[in-house]
Amino acid sequence: MPRFFRNRQLILVLLIAVALIAAMAYTYDTERYLTKAESVIGSVFTPVGKVFYRMTNGISDFFSSIREIGTLRATNEKLQKEVEKLRKENIELQELKNENLRLKEALDFKTENPELDLKLASITGKNPGNWFNIFTIDRGKRDGIKPGMAVLDEKGNMVGQVTQVGETWAKVLAIIDRDSSVSAVDVRTRDNGIVRGDSQGGLVMIYLPLDAEVLEGDIITTSGMSRFPKGLVIGKVEKMTKEPGALFKQALVKPAADFERLEYVFVVLNMTETGK
């Protein structure tokens, strides 16, 4: 015997439902009173009808909820993709904003210093570490670049000098490197010395006379006694030092250029024949 007919409770419920429907169809008349028998049948089957009605609504609500969950998930995934897209676009816009700001500063410096023949270049690589001790740029022989030329940041602060040149590239030695040396002068006192790097992002101005009155906060620039143009800003004095028995004073100098965040530089094509 099929399983369906074995379920007596289910058969009973179905029979009751059929009877209820038949009774409702038979008694459908808005203009007469129910008989006692019809009233009894209605009283008996009304609760059963309520149960079936609630069950039907419950099943309908259940499947509606499933459909809504699926719709919400799809909507959520779509919104997440939109958020990620907007986040990436915001990053790109911020990058463009920062790049435009740097290029504007570079253009302003070039416009304000027409006496300098400047060639803008992008940094294409650097040595390992946080500091730009040695780095390469995307300008070379075909752009008029030569070894010994000064290199500035986009604000015009001294960065270093060109050491090697290829057809389309050049290598730059930063002033913060130990192997670098630049003839320098204190703008206020006119005391001369040599600025060298400590490879830790700082500078030291050596060979200052013992009677030099260099003070903290003084501006140090190129002196004009080298191949570099005169007056290029190197940095600011942080502290004066003197070793016992030494013949000269020293000044610790903070570089004006930010050697952690270089992106664009100027190569100064102007060169003098004096100095080293």
Side-chain angles (χ1 to χ4, degrees):
M1 180 180 293
R3 184 180 300 176
F4 176 78
F5 292 104
R6 295 176 188 172
N7 195 332
R8 296 178 179 179
Q9 292 180 347
L10 179 60
I11 294 172
L12 179 60
V13 171
L14 290 175
L15 289 174
I16 292 172
V18 171
L20 176 61
I21 294 170
M24 293 176 63
Y26 173 76
T27 58
Y28 183 71
D29 190 345
T30 58
E31 296 183 359
R32 73 180 184 87
Y33 290 100
L34 296 177
T35 64
K36 289 184 178 181
E38 291 171 344
S39 180
V40 171
I41 292 173
S43 299
V44 171
F45 287 108
T46 296
V48 178
K50 288 182 179 179
V51 172
F52 275 95
Y53 177 75
R54 290 173 181 173
M55 289 176 60
T56 303
N57 281 349
I59 294 172
S60 177
D61 291 343
F62 173 73
F63 285 105
S64 295
S65 298
I66 292 177
R67 286 195 298 269
E68 289 176 0
I69 290 173
T71 302
L72 288 174
R73 284 178 178 173
T75 302
N76 185 51
E77 290 178 359
K78 183 178 180 181
L79 289 174
Q80 286 180 345
K81 290 180 180 179
E82 288 293 329
V83 169
E84 182 63 19
K85 180 182 178 183
L86 290 173
R87 187 184 70 83
K88 290 180 179 179
E89 289 178 351
N90 184 59
I91 293 174
E92 292 174 356
L93 288 173
Q94 188 63 44
E95 288 287 339
L96 288 174
K97 179 180 178 181
N98 293 337
E99 183 177 7
N100 288 337
L101 179 61
R102 285 178 175 269
L103 292 175
K104 183 180 182 302
E105 290 176 338
L107 179 61
D108 290 344
F109 175 75
K110 186 173 184 178
T111 302
E112 294 168 3
N113 296 271
E115 74 281 3
L116 296 177
D117 188 1
L118 303 172
K119 181 70 69 173
L120 186 65
S122 297
I123 294 177
T124 56
K126 74 181 187 70
N127 61 319
N130 294 330
W131 310 108
F132 283 74
N133 295 55
I134 300 173
F135 58 91
T136 55
I137 58 176
D138 62 351
R139 299 289 186 179
K141 289 181 181 179
R142 70 180 186 183
D143 301 294
I145 309 300
K146 298 178 182 179
M149 288 182 169
V151 178
L152 315 178
D153 67 8
E154 68 271 11
K155 298 179 182 179
N157 300 310
M158 187 72 181
V159 168
Q161 61 179 304
V162 176
T163 56
Q164 297 180 31
V165 181
E167 192 64 30
T168 59
W169 61 272
K171 183 175 288 187
V172 178
L173 178 68
I175 56 175
I176 59 174
D177 192 88
R178 289 180 182 273
D179 294 331
S180 174
S181 63
V182 180
S183 296
V185 63
D186 184 307
V187 172
R188 184 180 62 85
T189 67
R190 309 312 298 172
D191 289 307
N192 285 270
I194 300 294
V195 170
R196 288 181 176 174
D198 61 9
S199 293
Q200 299 298 320
L203 299 168
V204 179
M205 188 172 181
I206 59 177
Y207 301 137
L208 286 168
L210 291 177
D211 61 349
E213 298 181 356
V214 176
L215 299 175
E216 178 181 343
D218 283 358
I219 301 299
I220 305 300
T221 66
T222 52
S223 66
M225 293 191 296
S226 67
R227 67 186 71 181
F228 305 135
K230 180 180 180 180
L232 302 177
V233 178
I234 296 174
K236 183 183 296 185
V237 175
E238 289 188 314
K239 182 181 178 182
M240 288 295 298
T241 64
K242 177 182 177 298
E243 296 293 333
L247 299 178
F248 299 96
K249 287 182 178 180
Q250 294 185 0
L252 302 182
V253 179
K254 181 179 179 180
D258 186 349
F259 283 93
E260 290 186 83
R261 299 174 179 83
L262 292 176
E263 292 185 43
Y264 299 97
V265 293
F266 279 120
V267 180
V268 183
L269 302 184
N270 310 57
M271 292 182 68
T272 62
E273 298 299 327
T274 59
K276 57 179 180 179

